Tab-separated table of all heavy atoms in Angstrom:
chain	number	residue	atom	x	y	z
A	1	LYS	N	-6.931	11.868	12.631
A	1	LYS	CA	-7.211	13.158	13.251
A	1	LYS	C	-6.630	14.269	12.397
A	1	LYS	O	-5.626	14.084	11.732
A	1	LYS	CB	-6.600	13.203	14.654
A	1	LYS	CG	-7.227	12.200	15.596
A	1	LYS	CD	-6.559	12.244	16.942
A	1	LYS	CE	-7.133	11.172	17.843
A	1	LYS	NZ	-6.351	10.964	19.031
A	2	GLU	N	-7.296	15.429	12.448
A	2	GLU	CA	-6.804	16.569	11.690
A	2	GLU	C	-5.396	16.919	12.139
A	2	GLU	O	-5.099	16.935	13.331
A	2	GLU	CB	-7.725	17.774	11.881
A	2	GLU	CG	-8.999	17.654	11.078
A	2	GLU	CD	-9.811	18.921	11.135
A	2	GLU	OE1	-9.214	20.016	11.098
A	2	GLU	OE2	-11.038	18.805	11.227
A	3	GLY	N	-4.533	17.193	11.177
A	3	GLY	CA	-3.156	17.554	11.496
A	3	GLY	C	-2.260	16.350	11.735
A	3	GLY	O	-1.060	16.490	11.880
A	4	GLN	N	-2.841	15.159	11.792
A	4	GLN	CA	-2.049	13.953	12.023
A	4	GLN	C	-1.426	13.504	10.704
A	4	GLN	O	-2.094	13.461	9.672
A	4	GLN	CB	-2.948	12.851	12.578
A	4	GLN	CG	-2.222	11.574	12.929
A	4	GLN	CD	-3.183	10.519	13.467
A	4	GLN	OE1	-4.388	10.659	13.381
A	4	GLN	NE2	-2.639	9.470	14.016
A	5	GLU	N	-0.150	13.166	10.739
A	5	GLU	CA	0.543	12.732	9.532
A	5	GLU	C	0.175	11.296	9.182
A	5	GLU	O	-0.174	10.508	10.045
A	5	GLU	CB	2.057	12.826	9.751
A	5	GLU	CG	2.575	14.230	9.860
A	5	GLU	CD	4.086	14.271	9.992
A	5	GLU	OE1	4.757	13.318	9.548
A	5	GLU	OE2	4.577	15.242	10.550
A	6	ASP	N	0.289	10.971	7.917
A	6	ASP	CA	0.080	9.606	7.451
A	6	ASP	C	1.331	8.816	7.804
A	6	ASP	O	2.413	9.094	7.289
A	6	ASP	CB	-0.162	9.614	5.944
A	6	ASP	CG	-0.543	8.253	5.412
A	6	ASP	OD1	-0.253	7.227	6.063
A	6	ASP	OD2	-1.141	8.211	4.324
A	7	GLU	N	1.194	7.834	8.664
A	7	GLU	CA	2.337	7.065	9.152
A	7	GLU	C	2.990	6.199	8.084
A	7	GLU	O	4.109	5.733	8.262
A	7	GLU	CB	1.898	6.192	10.332
A	7	GLU	CG	1.414	7.005	11.508
A	7	GLU	CD	0.631	6.183	12.509
A	7	GLU	OE1	0.351	4.999	12.237
A	7	GLU	OE2	0.292	6.736	13.562
A	8	LEU	N	2.288	5.967	6.974
A	8	LEU	CA	2.835	5.109	5.924
A	8	LEU	C	3.465	5.901	4.782
A	8	LEU	O	3.888	5.317	3.790
A	8	LEU	CB	1.749	4.162	5.402
A	8	LEU	CG	1.218	3.175	6.444
A	8	LEU	CD1	0.139	2.292	5.844
A	8	LEU	CD2	2.328	2.333	7.039
A	9	ILE	N	3.519	7.205	4.923
A	9	ILE	CA	4.271	8.044	3.983
A	9	ILE	C	5.499	8.538	4.737
A	9	ILE	O	5.386	9.276	5.711
A	9	ILE	CB	3.449	9.257	3.481
A	9	ILE	CG1	2.190	8.801	2.755
A	9	ILE	CG2	4.309	10.162	2.606
A	9	ILE	CD1	2.421	8.160	1.405
A	10	ILE	N	6.663	8.103	4.295
A	10	ILE	CA	7.925	8.498	4.919
A	10	ILE	C	8.475	9.684	4.144
A	10	ILE	O	8.815	9.556	2.971
A	10	ILE	CB	8.951	7.335	4.907
A	10	ILE	CG1	8.355	6.071	5.525
A	10	ILE	CG2	10.240	7.745	5.586
A	10	ILE	CD1	7.859	6.211	6.926
A	11	THR	N	8.541	10.830	4.792
A	11	THR	CA	9.082	12.032	4.159
A	11	THR	C	10.558	12.142	4.519
A	11	THR	O	10.909	12.150	5.696
A	11	THR	CB	8.324	13.285	4.638
A	11	THR	OG1	6.931	13.096	4.357
A	11	THR	CG2	8.821	14.528	3.923
A	12	PHE	N	11.400	12.207	3.498
A	12	PHE	CA	12.837	12.299	3.723
A	12	PHE	C	13.215	13.709	4.158
A	12	PHE	O	12.648	14.691	3.687
A	12	PHE	CB	13.613	11.917	2.463
A	12	PHE	CG	13.390	10.489	2.020
A	12	PHE	CD1	13.410	10.153	0.682
A	12	PHE	CD2	13.172	9.473	2.943
A	12	PHE	CE1	13.221	8.848	0.260
A	12	PHE	CE2	12.989	8.166	2.538
A	12	PHE	CZ	13.012	7.849	1.192
A	13	ARG	N	14.192	13.780	5.041
A	13	ARG	CA	14.681	15.072	5.516
A	13	ARG	C	15.296	15.860	4.372
A	13	ARG	O	15.087	17.055	4.243
A	13	ARG	CB	15.704	14.851	6.635
A	13	ARG	CG	16.057	16.089	7.415
A	13	ARG	CD	16.909	15.784	8.629
A	13	ARG	NE	18.176	15.163	8.320
A	13	ARG	CZ	19.265	15.830	7.944
A	13	ARG	NH1	19.237	17.121	7.829
A	13	ARG	NH2	20.372	15.194	7.678
A	14	LYS	N	16.054	15.155	3.508
A	14	LYS	CA	16.651	15.756	2.312
A	14	LYS	C	16.304	14.877	1.120
A	14	LYS	O	16.172	13.661	1.269
A	14	LYS	CB	18.180	15.826	2.449
A	14	LYS	CG	18.664	16.756	3.538
A	14	LYS	CD	20.156	17.020	3.482
A	14	LYS	CE	20.994	15.780	3.629
A	14	LYS	NZ	22.427	16.058	3.806
A	15	PRO	N	16.142	15.456	-0.058
A	15	PRO	CA	15.880	14.636	-1.245
A	15	PRO	C	16.985	13.588	-1.420
A	15	PRO	O	18.156	13.850	-1.155
A	15	PRO	CB	15.895	15.645	-2.393
A	15	PRO	CG	15.580	16.953	-1.748
A	15	PRO	CD	16.180	16.881	-0.373
A	16	PHE	N	16.590	12.401	-1.851
A	16	PHE	CA	17.518	11.289	-2.017
A	16	PHE	C	17.563	10.901	-3.489
A	16	PHE	O	16.527	10.590	-4.086
A	16	PHE	CB	17.069	10.108	-1.148
A	16	PHE	CG	17.886	8.871	-1.314
A	16	PHE	CD1	19.191	8.818	-0.858
A	16	PHE	CD2	17.355	7.748	-1.934
A	16	PHE	CE1	19.951	7.666	-1.007
A	16	PHE	CE2	18.107	6.587	-2.082
A	16	PHE	CZ	19.408	6.553	-1.618
A	17	GLY	N	18.762	10.920	-4.070
A	17	GLY	CA	18.934	10.550	-5.465
A	17	GLY	C	19.291	9.088	-5.607
A	17	GLY	O	20.166	8.575	-4.909
A	18	PHE	N	18.606	8.405	-6.528
A	18	PHE	CA	18.896	7.003	-6.784
A	18	PHE	C	18.612	6.707	-8.248
A	18	PHE	O	17.504	6.942	-8.734
A	18	PHE	CB	18.040	6.097	-5.886
A	18	PHE	CG	18.303	4.630	-6.081
A	18	PHE	CD1	19.443	4.041	-5.542
A	18	PHE	CD2	17.430	3.842	-6.805
A	18	PHE	CE1	19.694	2.694	-5.730
A	18	PHE	CE2	17.664	2.493	-6.994
A	18	PHE	CZ	18.806	1.916	-6.452
A	19	GLU	N	19.626	6.212	-8.948
A	19	GLU	CA	19.537	5.848	-10.368
A	19	GLU	C	18.875	6.946	-11.207
A	19	GLU	O	17.961	6.694	-11.982
A	19	GLU	CB	18.804	4.519	-10.530
A	19	GLU	CG	19.569	3.347	-9.946
A	19	GLU	CD	18.904	2.004	-10.188
A	19	GLU	OE1	17.735	1.950	-10.646
A	19	GLU	OE2	19.557	0.985	-9.917
A	20	GLY	N	19.340	8.180	-11.012
A	20	GLY	CA	18.876	9.303	-11.808
A	20	GLY	C	17.522	9.870	-11.404
A	20	GLY	O	17.016	10.790	-12.041
A	21	GLU	N	16.912	9.336	-10.364
A	21	GLU	CA	15.619	9.808	-9.900
A	21	GLU	C	15.775	10.410	-8.506
A	21	GLU	O	16.588	9.940	-7.708
A	21	GLU	CB	14.645	8.626	-9.840
A	21	GLU	CG	13.210	9.019	-10.060
A	21	GLU	CD	12.301	7.792	-10.134
A	21	GLU	OE1	12.725	6.745	-10.644
A	21	GLU	OE2	11.166	7.915	-9.667
A	22	THR	N	15.010	11.445	-8.207
A	22	THR	CA	15.060	12.076	-6.890
A	22	THR	C	13.810	11.710	-6.103
A	22	THR	O	12.690	11.864	-6.590
A	22	THR	CB	15.147	13.611	-7.024
A	22	THR	OG1	16.324	13.928	-7.783
A	22	THR	CG2	15.242	14.277	-5.675
A	23	PHE	N	14.032	11.218	-4.894
A	23	PHE	CA	12.936	10.803	-4.022
A	23	PHE	C	12.855	11.754	-2.836
A	23	PHE	O	13.855	12.029	-2.177
A	23	PHE	CB	13.165	9.373	-3.509
A	23	PHE	CG	13.107	8.335	-4.587
A	23	PHE	CD1	14.222	8.047	-5.357
A	23	PHE	CD2	11.933	7.638	-4.828
A	23	PHE	CE1	14.184	7.088	-6.351
A	23	PHE	CE2	11.879	6.680	-5.827
A	23	PHE	CZ	13.006	6.401	-6.587
A	24	ARG	N	11.661	12.248	-2.568
A	24	ARG	CA	11.435	13.119	-1.410
A	24	ARG	C	10.645	12.395	-0.326
A	24	ARG	O	10.620	12.796	0.816
A	24	ARG	CB	10.699	14.384	-1.841
A	24	ARG	CG	11.577	15.326	-2.627
A	24	ARG	CD	10.839	16.571	-3.070
A	24	ARG	NE	11.728	17.595	-3.592
A	24	ARG	CZ	12.448	17.521	-4.686
A	24	ARG	NH1	12.437	16.414	-5.386
A	24	ARG	NH2	13.213	18.514	-5.090
A	25	GLU	N	9.966	11.332	-0.742
A	25	GLU	CA	9.185	10.544	0.209
A	25	GLU	C	9.040	9.119	-0.301
A	25	GLU	O	9.361	8.820	-1.454
A	25	GLU	CB	7.807	11.164	0.442
A	25	GLU	CG	6.932	11.218	-0.774
A	25	GLU	CD	5.598	11.897	-0.506
A	25	GLU	OE1	5.484	12.702	0.435
A	25	GLU	OE2	4.661	11.609	-1.262
A	26	LEU	N	8.565	8.260	0.574
A	26	LEU	CA	8.391	6.846	0.249
A	26	LEU	C	7.008	6.429	0.727
A	26	LEU	O	6.641	6.678	1.885
A	26	LEU	CB	9.470	6.024	0.942
A	26	LEU	CG	9.599	4.572	0.556
A	26	LEU	CD1	10.038	4.460	-0.898
A	26	LEU	CD2	10.613	3.884	1.447
A	27	ASP	N	6.237	5.813	-0.143
A	27	ASP	CA	4.878	5.391	0.187
A	27	ASP	C	4.885	3.912	0.583
A	27	ASP	O	5.195	3.047	-0.227
A	27	ASP	CB	3.973	5.615	-1.026
A	27	ASP	CG	2.519	5.308	-0.749
A	27	ASP	OD1	2.200	4.723	0.314
A	27	ASP	OD2	1.687	5.651	-1.598
A	28	LEU	N	4.534	3.635	1.836
A	28	LEU	CA	4.512	2.262	2.337
A	28	LEU	C	3.088	1.707	2.457
A	28	LEU	O	2.852	0.742	3.174
A	28	LEU	CB	5.212	2.183	3.699
A	28	LEU	CG	6.698	2.504	3.715
A	28	LEU	CD1	7.245	2.460	5.136
A	28	LEU	CD2	7.480	1.554	2.820
A	29	HIS	N	2.138	2.303	1.759
A	29	HIS	CA	0.755	1.815	1.831
A	29	HIS	C	0.608	0.397	1.284
A	29	HIS	O	-0.404	-0.254	1.534
A	29	HIS	CB	-0.203	2.774	1.113
A	29	HIS	CG	-0.572	3.938	1.950
A	29	HIS	ND1	0.073	5.144	1.850
A	29	HIS	CD2	-1.487	4.078	2.931
A	29	HIS	CE1	-0.450	5.978	2.721
A	29	HIS	NE2	-1.394	5.365	3.399
A	30	GLY	N	1.609	-0.083	0.583
A	30	GLY	CA	1.600	-1.470	0.117
A	30	GLY	C	1.551	-2.461	1.273
A	30	GLY	O	1.172	-3.617	1.088
A	31	LEU	N	1.921	-2.020	2.470
A	31	LEU	CA	1.826	-2.882	3.661
A	31	LEU	C	0.397	-3.384	3.852
A	31	LEU	O	0.179	-4.512	4.303
A	31	LEU	CB	2.270	-2.119	4.916
A	31	LEU	CG	3.754	-1.886	5.092
A	31	LEU	CD1	4.012	-0.826	6.150
A	31	LEU	CD2	4.452	-3.182	5.454
A	32	GLU	N	-0.570	-2.560	3.508
A	32	GLU	CA	-1.978	-2.913	3.691
A	32	GLU	C	-2.414	-4.037	2.763
A	32	GLU	O	-3.436	-4.677	3.004
A	32	GLU	CB	-2.852	-1.675	3.472
A	32	GLU	CG	-2.573	-0.589	4.492
A	32	GLU	CD	-3.212	0.745	4.150
A	32	GLU	OE1	-3.481	1.005	2.948
A	32	GLU	OE2	-3.419	1.535	5.084
A	33	ASP	N	-1.643	-4.292	1.705
A	33	ASP	CA	-1.996	-5.325	0.740
A	33	ASP	C	-1.242	-6.636	0.946
A	33	ASP	O	-1.447	-7.583	0.181
A	33	ASP	CB	-1.739	-4.815	-0.685
A	33	ASP	CG	-2.580	-3.592	-1.011
A	33	ASP	OD1	-3.722	-3.511	-0.525
A	33	ASP	OD2	-2.084	-2.700	-1.725
A	34	LEU	N	-0.354	-6.697	1.935
A	34	LEU	CA	0.410	-7.923	2.180
A	34	LEU	C	-0.512	-9.064	2.586
A	34	LEU	O	-1.518	-8.854	3.262
A	34	LEU	CB	1.455	-7.707	3.276
A	34	LEU	CG	2.671	-6.872	2.911
A	34	LEU	CD1	3.564	-6.682	4.129
A	34	LEU	CD2	3.462	-7.510	1.779
């Protein structure tokens, strides 16, 4: 539906730093390929 968020994209409240990289979101669409 219009305006509905993609449930498999996790948007972080604050940017998350890990091993020198900054993550703002996480894509879980790989679930569809399990």
Side-chain angles (χ1 to χ4, degrees):
K1 295 178 184 167
E2 284 187 39
Q4 183 180 12
E5 291 183 25
D6 187 339
E7 298 164 353
L8 297 179
I9 300 289
I10 307 302
T11 304
F12 298 147
R13 193 172 61 83
K14 294 191 300 190
F16 176 70
F18 181 76
E19 294 184 350
E21 209 174 326
T22 301
F23 294 84
R24 288 179 169 66
E25 63 182 24
L26 190 65
D27 185 349
L28 296 177
H29 279 96
L31 285 165
E32 297 169 336
D33 299 326
L34 287 176

